Amino acid sequence: MKRATSLFLRIETITTRIALWAAIAFLVIAAALAMYQVTTRFAFGQPSTWSEVITRSAMIWSVFLGVAPAFREGTMIALEFIQTALPRKLGLALYQLSMVLTLIFFAILFWQGWAMTERVTGQTLAALQISIAWVYAALPIGSVFIALAVMGCMIRAARGDWPRPDGDEPAPAEAQP
Amino acid sequence: MNTALALSLGIFFLLGVPIAVAIGLASVIGIEAHGRLPLLLVAQRMFTGLDSFPLMAIPLFILAGNLMSVGGISQRLVDLAKAIVGGVQGGLAATCVLTCMMFASVSGSSVATTFAIGAILIPAMVKHGYPKPMAASVQASSAELGVLIPPSIPLILYGVSTDTSIGQLFLAGLGPGLLVAGALMALVLILCRVRGIGAKDGDERPRLGPAALAALPAMLVPVAILGGIYTGVFTPTEASAAAVAVALVVGMLFYRELKFRDLPDVLTKTVLATSAIMLIISAAALFSFLVTRSGLPNDIAALIRAVIETRFVFLLAVNILLLVVGMFIETSAAILVLAPILAPIAIAYGVDPVHFGLIMVLNLALGMITPPLGVNLFAACSVANIPVERIIPQLLWFVITVFAALMIVTYVPAVSLWPMQTIMGL
């Protein structure tokens, strides 16, 4: 059992890192295209029609891939005061419960995201000959990475590595309004 | 359906389920309770909620802010602020307020402001004999300016969800921003004098001329962003892309503190912060669709109009509601769910939608420095390395001060609207 979970954690480390790098790549694409769009509007007097569509699509991919590393790094924002106020064992139980609920949600998002992706395969993105399904696929694929990362959080917490919000771990959320 | 939505949302929040997930899961339960809506809505609405070009300004402003804090801009702004206000007793605390104000004009987020400025000024204040909890509370409350002074992520969200001009909202943020900054500065100077703290703050004060010169490239960023938006040359999203470009140029070529090897770290931070907030936006779009479809906004509007007669009382009621909401609910989620409900009612009472946006955002900003979900408190305490409980007794005067400013912003519309009226002639 111990070996199985250790193996899982090693795999999860890799998948979450893949998700992070892919999310970064999409962010860079989105930012670069947004700058390109501004430039074309000023240099040629008319904005390029395709760059806005791809900016939005790349950003959607970046968001759904970035959630997995956000879970791993503890930057998801939650109301943790009850978990913190309870004795450690009870707080941990509550944390695991919240993670189970999270898993259920992303299972639903995977299922419905997949259904939606299949449904829109016939539709193309405005101004492009590309199917919208390529963008919708971010939901089910992102959900798989997220589910793995959430299970990783649960295993680490069960092994005693639970970053309690009031503990020595620095507080999460780097840039949030 | 509405009972199911509200009840499950409350329970999930209390359990400590991440906010985005709590909102999404409550929506799933709402759909099931309704019975005749397809579950497919979950994927469809979460997708369309993010698929909007104005929203793209959020990740790009976060990226620009992160680039600027690595690129040496924060330190220049601190030096400039110190040169301007650092000479008196309590000058360091006043420096903190002024720096946050300047940094807010390049950053759209208060937590980012806390990290960028607090990392420099909290240790400096502690070194000058400020108690840690006081230094942290000065920082946490000044950082609120991050969401008032444009660019501002909450104002973008309000604009998107109520179809209000983001450019006008940005312009309207200046007055309340200056008001809160002035009030906080007066407060910290009085507190320092009364408590006898910070008597030697003026010792290491830089000279104004060189400090201003060094900060000049940094101030290019807000000039480019705001000038572009106000003159109508840029949309806010284009301005955010330009901000990223300017931040790269200033950090890499002018100050030469931003190196290529810093970029992976900056991008990682940006992705983590962006995903956490954009997932909330996505889930809130789904939730808000369900609430609107249930007809609840009309019911609430009818109820409010039947009970409340004057604009004065309406605004008071809204303030109380938002203060309570702001204590428990994350700002973006609160705006996306409540603004589409409340803004039309406010307009019916004769409140300008731009003015109302500022009332909402300042209210929720106050929630950032009140427990239990005060994101600025967490950030400032993490920088100061103290548990959150220790900062709470310090907060009273800061909360009262911001609250007083909030009352002025609420009942004197001119504070928000004068720049718009004079510059744009509206």
Side-chain angles (χ1 to χ4, degrees):
Chain A
M1 185 64 194
K2 181 110 200 296
R3 272 183 54 195
T5 52
S6 297
L7 180 66
F8 178 85
L9 282 183
R10 277 216 297 281
I11 295 172
E12 184 265 328
T13 306
I14 297 168
T15 56
T16 303
R17 196 166 296 160
I18 293 172
L20 174 64
W21 283 105
I24 288 178
F26 280 115
L27 176 72
V28 171
I29 292 174
L33 283 177
M35 282 186 237
Y36 171 80
Q37 166 138 347
V38 182
T39 322
T40 51
R41 196 159 79 84
F42 284 98
F44 310 115
Q46 56 183 54
S48 115
T49 43
W50 55 270
S51 58
E52 183 190 316
V53 183
I54 302 198
T55 303
R56 282 187 275 139
S57 308
M59 206 59 96
I60 288 173
W61 268 99
S62 177
V63 168
F64 280 97
L65 288 169
V67 172
F71 267 104
R72 191 186 163 97
E73 302 296 326
T75 51
M76 294 301 290
I77 307 148
L79 218 60
E80 285 157 331
F81 64 99
I82 293 189
Q83 285 179 17
T84 334
L86 288 172
R88 195 179 161 88
K89 260 198 174 142
L90 266 172
L92 179 61
L94 208 56
Y95 172 80
Q96 297 289 33
L97 175 63
S98 76
M99 287 290 114
V100 170
L101 290 167
T102 304
L103 274 181
I104 293 174
F105 176 70
F106 284 104
I108 296 171
L109 190 63
F110 171 79
W111 169 34
Q112 297 303 327
W114 189 264
M116 203 59 209
T117 308
E118 284 188 329
R119 176 178 280 215
V120 298
T121 35
Q123 300 173 33
T124 52
L125 287 168
L128 289 167
Q129 292 304 312
I130 300 171
S131 167
I132 298 187
W134 286 108
V135 193
Y136 260 102
L139 274 68
I141 293 177
S143 299
V144 172
F145 282 107
I146 297 165
L148 290 171
V150 170
M151 284 189 260
C153 290
M154 294 177 71
I155 294 175
R156 277 191 297 274
R159 287 181 166 188
D161 183 14
W162 178 44
R164 235 175 123 109
D166 64 338
D168 26 43
E169 277 271 321
E174 176 62 8
Q176 187 270 322
Chain B
M1 178 167 85
N2 281 318
T3 332
L5 275 177
L7 204 64
S8 48
L9 188 65
I11 292 172
F12 292 142
F13 274 162
L14 291 179
L15 289 177
V17 178
I19 288 175
V21 178
I23 296 172
L25 213 47
S27 307
V28 170
I29 291 177
I31 292 172
E32 289 301 314
H34 183 273
R36 271 171 293 125
L37 287 172
L39 207 50
L40 210 54
L41 274 175
V42 176
Q44 193 209 3
R45 287 291 145 185
M46 283 185 71
F47 180 89
T48 49
L50 281 188
D51 193 22
S52 119
F53 198 58
L55 282 184
M56 297 305 127
I58 294 173
L60 294 178
F61 275 131
I62 294 178
L63 176 59
N66 283 343
L67 283 172
M68 283 182 263
S69 35
V70 178
I73 291 184
S74 332
Q75 184 63 51
R76 264 64 170 203
L77 294 180
V78 169
D79 288 344
L80 176 59
K82 219 189 264 175
I84 298 173
V85 295
V88 291
Q89 177 168 14
L92 259 185
T95 301
C96 182
V97 178
L98 187 61
T99 315
C100 285
M101 196 182 109
M102 293 193 285
F103 193 81
S105 66
V106 296
S107 151
S109 141
S110 66
V111 176
T113 309
T114 309
F115 279 111
I117 307 303
I120 301 172
L121 278 177
I122 290 179
M125 283 191 268
V126 172
K127 209 173 107 193
H128 278 240
Y130 288 74
K132 267 189 183 180
M134 180 174 172
S137 48
V138 171
Q139 176 58 55
S141 30
S142 318
E144 264 179 46
L145 296 166
V147 296
L148 286 175
I149 293 185
S152 150
I153 292 170
L155 285 177
I156 294 174
L157 290 175
Y158 178 87
V160 170
S161 58
T162 62
D163 273 326
T164 311
S165 152
I166 296 172
Q168 289 185 15
L169 286 165
F170 276 9
L171 205 48
L174 282 176
L178 291 173
L179 177 72
V180 172
L184 283 176
M185 206 171 301
L187 173 71
V188 293
L189 290 177
I190 295 170
L191 279 184
C192 285
R193 192 135 297 195
V194 171
R195 297 180 186 169
I197 301 168
K200 290 187 180 163
D201 279 1
D203 286 358
E204 301 152 21
R205 186 178 174 193
R207 293 200 1 254
L208 183 60
L213 204 62
L216 201 60
M219 293 319 283
L220 269 180
V221 185
V223 170
I225 299 175
L226 302 182
I229 295 176
Y230 295 157
T231 52
V233 177
F234 283 155
T235 65
T237 309
E238 290 173 336
S240 68
V244 172
V246 177
L248 275 172
V249 170
V250 170
M252 286 192 154
L253 301 181
F254 277 92
Y255 295 149
R256 296 166 188 265
E257 287 183 25
L258 183 65
K259 307 272 186 251
F260 271 107
R261 61 165 183 277
D262 298 325
L263 291 182
D265 206 37
V266 168
L267 288 167
T268 302
K269 266 190 191 166
T270 307
V271 161
L272 294 179
T274 301
S275 301
I277 182 176
M278 295 290 270
L279 191 69
I280 292 177
I281 293 170
S282 172
L286 165 67
F287 189 88
S288 166
F289 171 81
L290 294 174
V291 170
T292 311
R293 202 178 177 288
S294 73
L296 184 70
N298 288 333
D299 296 350
I300 294 179
L303 179 73
I304 290 179
R305 274 194 223 115
V307 178
I308 297 175
E309 280 178 7
T310 63
R311 185 190 322 179
F312 186 90
V313 180
F314 166 73
L315 287 174
L316 194 67
V318 164
N319 272 313
I320 294 169
L321 170 75
L322 290 174
L323 279 178
V324 176
V325 167
M327 285 171 71
F328 293 97
I329 298 182
E330 197 272 339
T331 310
S332 325
I335 290 178
L336 286 162
V337 172
L338 290 179
I341 301 178
L342 293 178
I345 308 177
I347 294 169
Y349 277 94
V351 182
D352 188 287
V354 173
H355 176 211
F356 191 69
L358 266 300
I359 297 176
M360 272 198 87
V361 170
L362 180 51
N363 243 306
L364 297 170
L366 190 52
M368 295 175 188
I369 57 164
T370 50
L373 186 72
V375 286
N376 283 6
L377 297 184
F378 300 153
C381 288
S382 128
V383 175
N385 205 6
I386 52 172
V388 178
E389 296 88 77
R390 282 191 51 204
I391 195 178
I392 292 172
Q394 285 287 331
L395 286 168
L396 185 66
W397 285 110
F398 292 92
V399 172
I400 290 175
T401 306
V402 179
F403 183 78
L406 171 63
M407 286 297 110
I408 296 174
V409 170
T410 304
Y411 289 110
V412 188
V415 174
S416 317
L417 299 179
W418 68 264
M420 206 165 86
Q421 284 156 346
T422 46
I423 296 177
M424 291 182 160
L426 290 167

